[in-house]
Amino acid sequence: MSGQLQGIIVPVTSFQQNCTILFDSETKRGVVIDPGGDVEKIQSAIKEQGLEIEAIWLTHGHIDHAGGAMDLKDALGVDIIGPHKDDLPLLEALEQQAQMFGVATVRNAVPDRWLEEGDTLAFGAHEFAVYHCPGHAPGHVIFYNEAAAFAHVGDVLFAGSIGRTDLPGGNHEALINSIKTKVLPLGDDVGFICGHGPGGKIGEERRNNPFLK
């Protein structure tokens, strides 16, 4: 028997990245999306909720999203799934990114499985469609659950803003195209969690986000 899709956000590292734990309210099984660091903090949240984590999902390969992935994988004994293989250079350079930002104890991440446009991921009865949304990072993916009218959009779209494109592999035109062709068509009523700050509704962003005018 499965229950409702639920989510908690654990802000991690000095980047205040929204590490997201999605889980089933009945079975207490779920996944961790983007463990950017502060792995002990993430583990405490998992324990507090009494959850069993099935996998780690990554939206993209930046340090604030993938920096804690290998340590959490070791701690939980689960696979790292995603992002799209175009982010391999970023994931192979996490230790380098860490030196640049003065962050200690980060390991390059090695996913157990890459994701492609049109893939489906699930835990229990909760099924997510995968969309490849390059622009902020070349291999960025988002996760969409139609039944709950919910999407996790990583750093593609924010409440009132969009992902930055001045980092290696960033491309402003590609990002706008990803938002307009993949994210907005999910529908105005779809709620989203993003990589930093508060989430929102897609319709609100379509109507009022100054970057989409």
Side-chain angles (χ1 to χ4, degrees):
M1 178 177 154
S2 79
Q4 282 182 312
L5 177 65
Q6 293 194 324
I8 54 172
I9 289 172
V10 184
V12 294
T13 77
S14 58
F15 299 102
Q16 287 297 286
Q17 192 273 126
N18 293 333
C19 173
T20 305
I21 305 171
L22 298 180
F23 61 96
D24 181 279
S25 61
E26 291 291 324
T27 66
K28 298 287 189 180
R29 296 178 74 86
V31 295
V32 175
I33 300 178
D34 290 355
D38 293 339
V39 168
E40 283 167 15
K41 195 175 169 187
I42 299 167
Q43 284 178 275
S44 294
I46 292 167
K47 205 170 164 182
E48 214 170 279
Q49 299 283 337
L51 304 178
E52 191 169 332
I53 298 301
E54 296 185 1
I56 294 163
W57 297 355
L58 296 181
T59 61
H60 64 295
H62 288 150
I63 189 169
D64 53 332
H65 292 256
M70 291 303 277
D71 286 350
L72 191 65
K73 170 189 167 77
D74 289 351
L76 300 177
V78 297
D79 283 355
I80 296 173
I81 300 175
H84 183 279
K85 62 182 176 300
D86 285 355
D87 264 11
L88 176 62
L90 290 174
L91 293 169
E92 285 180 333
L94 285 174
E95 287 162 22
Q96 213 178 323
Q97 287 182 51
Q99 285 168 352
M100 220 164 68
F101 290 108
V103 182
T105 65
V106 165
R107 292 155 62 196
N108 291 341
V110 184
D112 296 279
R113 175 186 159 197
W114 297 107
L115 291 170
E116 299 272 348
E117 173 84 19
D119 282 352
T120 303
L121 290 175
F123 57 91
H126 306 290
E127 214 168 81
F128 289 78
V130 175
Y131 294 85
H132 179 209
C133 293
H136 173 70
H140 200 304
V141 294
I142 67 167
F143 309 111
Y144 170 56
N145 180 286
E146 189 179 2
F150 164 76
H152 192 297
V153 298
D155 283 0
V156 172
L157 180 69
F158 300 116
S161 189
I162 59 172
R164 56 191 288 192
T165 53
D166 58 341
L167 298 166
N171 181 316
H172 182 76
E173 265 172 55
L175 180 65
I176 296 297
N177 183 57
S178 289
I179 294 169
K180 291 189 168 173
T181 62
K182 311 268 178 85
V183 183
L184 298 185
L186 297 178
D188 282 1
D189 293 336
V190 171
F192 66 87
I193 286 176
C194 47
H196 303 266
K201 283 268 170 87
I202 285 176
E204 178 70 18
E205 299 314 310
R206 186 179 59 75
R207 288 187 293 271
N208 300 317
N209 191 309
F211 293 90
L212 302 178
K213 293 291 176 236

